[in-house]
Amino acid sequence: MFENNPICKLLNIKYPIFQGGMAWLGTAELAAAVSNAGGLGIIGAGHMPPDLLRAEIQKVKQWTDKPFGVNIMLMSPFVKEVIQVVLDERVPVVTTGAGNPGEYIPAFKEIGTKVIPVVASVALAKRLARTGVDALIAEGTESGGHVGEITTMTLVPQVVDAVDIPVIAAGGIADARGMMAAFALGAQGVQMGSRFVVSSECIAHENYKKLVLRAKDRSTVVTGRSTGHPVRVIANKLTRKFDELEKANAPVEEIEKLGAGGLNLAARKGDVEMGSVMITRAQRRRSMRILIVEDERALCDTLVKSLKQKGYEVDACYDGDSALDWLLTEKYDLLLLDLNLPGRDGMDLLKTLREQDRETRVLILSARSRISDKVEGLDCGADDYLVKPFGTSELLARIRTAIR
């Protein structure tokens, strides 16, 4: 499909999709997985010490024989040492940010490394294109982490028109619709970071991933504009403290001290209130996953058909033991649970589930209409109780309420 795509040909990859080189999150595990899948996995060097970066690079080499990259933040206190590690390890691709990589390009070119800087303006794109870089990543302000001021929609086509090398679009791209829009703007590929954060291969703390999945269009804010280093993050206690300091015209040093170590605190340690949860402004469309456990097969099949028509992702099983196996190995947003089941009954299944999972919503569907049955179901951890027979419109309303 992308055999003639300039980025795929330049880097020898199957798909023109870059995994953003996210500090603390773009580790060997994620980079190798993306490269093995046909994209370009990228280790995020951030402020990583050179010895740790070398270890990450060597792990990627063990886990994949496909091209991969390292993102170098040129403001890192270890930048000279990091670049030497990249040269020593002959990393196939380097992306750069927070500075001009011009002085390092000859050394990279000498060993055949492709250099692809991130740019947030047309002026910088033109300047870097003249230094002999191989492509550019035009990143709009919708991206997570450190951001510029120009939106992806306006930046990408202007950069495409301004240079004669391939352009990769980044910032607010989270699914196939965003990718196609980027191509329509003239980009030859896309870079996504937040989309990969919630993958199983990403080592981000579960609290971080859950917050990313719950984020909406207005969940993020930009902090640090007064320091000259704006950062897009999910609003939390930390961002409110930033806002207070900036409104009080606090010294830059005080503001920067507040944010020091914030990404590690959130991404690795799971403190998503006082840590920096850096994600894009755009979120991918995700179908709600529903598991139906119903022994009346005709009813079960009807429910599956109706819910799939409404855009839900649906699985079904007909007994409690099979349902428990599904629930322990797969993640669902909602469980539609009958009580009268062969083998393990619905109430026992619910109790077992709640011992291990407090997050999956449960809607009981039962012909038992006594108040005592409803009370027992809710006491065992169900979120709602719907008595059979019921209409499709009522079921859909209950589902929307349960997963709201």
Side-chain angles (χ1 to χ4, degrees):
M1 181 178 182
F2 294 103
E3 295 86 355
N4 296 317
N5 178 277
I7 295 297
C8 292
K9 293 171 72 173
L10 174 69
L11 304 180
N12 193 29
I13 57 178
K14 188 175 181 180
Y15 304 111
I17 298 174
F18 287 24
Q19 162 248 312
M22 302 167 287
W24 293 108
L25 299 177
T27 61
E29 291 85 350
L30 181 58
V34 172
S35 288
N36 280 327
L40 184 74
I42 300 175
I43 299 170
H47 286 187
M48 192 182 292
D51 290 345
L52 181 56
L53 176 60
R54 189 184 300 276
E56 290 294 300
I57 292 171
Q58 291 176 352
K59 283 193 286 186
V60 172
K61 289 180 176 180
Q62 291 174 9
W63 296 336
T64 185
D65 59 357
K66 303 293 194 299
F68 69 96
V70 170
N71 174 261
I72 301 173
M73 191 179 79
L74 297 169
M75 290 176 59
S76 165
F78 307 111
V79 64
K80 299 286 187 182
E81 296 93 331
V82 161
I83 286 174
Q84 190 57 54
V85 168
V86 170
L87 293 170
D88 293 344
E89 296 292 334
R90 304 183 78 87
V91 173
V93 183
V94 164
T95 64
T96 66
N100 187 333
E103 65 178 290
Y104 309 112
I105 290 175
F108 287 132
K109 290 291 186 180
E110 187 174 335
I111 64 170
T113 295
K114 306 301 182 185
V115 182
I116 307 177
V118 175
V119 299
S121 70
V122 173
L124 181 58
K126 288 180 176 179
R127 187 159 69 249
L128 290 178
R130 290 194 294 267
T131 66
V133 299
D134 296 279
L136 293 168
I137 300 170
E139 184 178 79
T141 192
E142 298 91 333
S143 63
H146 295 275
V147 296
E149 296 293 334
I150 308 174
T151 64
T152 304
M153 176 69 80
T154 54
L155 177 66
V156 171
Q158 292 184 72
V159 172
V160 168
D161 290 345
V163 300
D164 58 3
I165 54 178
V167 174
I168 298 98
I173 300 169
D175 56 19
R177 296 171 299 173
M179 185 171 178
M180 294 305 296
F183 288 156
L185 295 175
Q188 302 290 349
V190 296
Q191 175 170 281
M192 297 184 288
S194 302
R195 177 65 187 266
F196 289 108
V197 166
V198 296
S199 65
S200 58
E201 293 86 355
C202 181
I203 66 168
H205 195 281
E206 195 64 23
N207 293 349
Y208 197 103
K209 293 183 179 183
K210 288 176 182 177
L211 200 59
V212 171
L213 287 171
R214 290 200 302 267
K216 301 293 190 296
D217 58 338
R218 294 176 63 84
S219 295
T220 65
V221 295
V222 176
T223 63
R225 291 193 189 278
S226 64
T227 70
H229 303 293
V231 178
R232 182 174 300 283
V233 294
I234 290 181
N236 59 8
K237 289 181 181 178
L238 177 64
T239 65
R240 290 192 286 275
K241 287 184 176 293
F242 265 112
D243 188 51
E244 291 171 4
L245 289 178
E246 293 193 76
K247 285 181 178 177
N249 295 316
V252 170
E253 295 78 13
E254 184 179 355
I255 297 173
E256 291 182 339
K257 182 179 179 180
L258 176 63
L263 178 57
N264 179 44
L265 185 63
R268 294 291 188 90
K269 298 179 180 179
D271 186 345
V272 294
E273 283 298 325
M274 288 305 298
S276 295
V277 184
M278 300 182 182
I279 69 160
T280 180
R281 190 167 204 169
Q283 299 303 305
R284 71 184 181 99
R285 178 173 59 188
R286 185 176 74 90
S287 298
M288 290 294 179
R289 295 195 70 192
I290 298 176
L291 176 63
I292 301 173
V293 188
E294 170 61 67
D295 68 330
E296 295 180 41
R297 298 201 173 210
L299 173 59
C300 187
D301 292 345
T302 298
L303 292 176
V304 169
K305 182 178 179 181
S306 298
L307 294 178
K308 284 187 174 179
Q309 288 176 343
K310 293 296 182 180
Y312 296 108
E313 185 178 337
V314 186
D315 291 318
C317 54
Y318 309 108
D319 65 88
D321 292 322
S322 298
L324 184 60
D325 290 339
W326 279 82
L327 289 164
L328 294 179
T329 57
E330 299 288 337
K331 187 170 182 61
Y332 292 96
D333 299 289
L334 178 65
L335 170 64
L336 299 184
L337 178 62
D338 186 20
L339 294 182
N340 295 323
L341 298 171
R344 185 189 299 268
D345 70 18
M347 205 68 77
D348 185 50
L349 173 61
L350 176 57
K351 293 175 183 177
T352 304
L353 174 65
R354 284 303 185 229
E355 290 174 358
Q356 305 179 52
D357 178 4
R358 299 299 306 177
E359 294 190 357
T360 300
R361 303 289 184 178
V362 178
L363 170 54
I364 291 177
L365 309 177
S366 177
R368 301 180 191 175
S369 59
R370 296 178 303 179
I371 295 295
S372 59
D373 292 318
K374 297 179 183 180
V375 170
E376 182 183 5
L378 295 172
D379 282 346
C380 287
D383 296 279
D384 200 355
Y385 193 111
L386 182 58
V387 177
K388 299 176 182 176
F390 48 78
T392 302
S393 59
E394 183 178 8
L395 174 63
L396 292 172
R398 298 289 188 98
I399 290 174
R400 289 193 295 270
T401 299
I403 61 180
R404 185 171 300 157

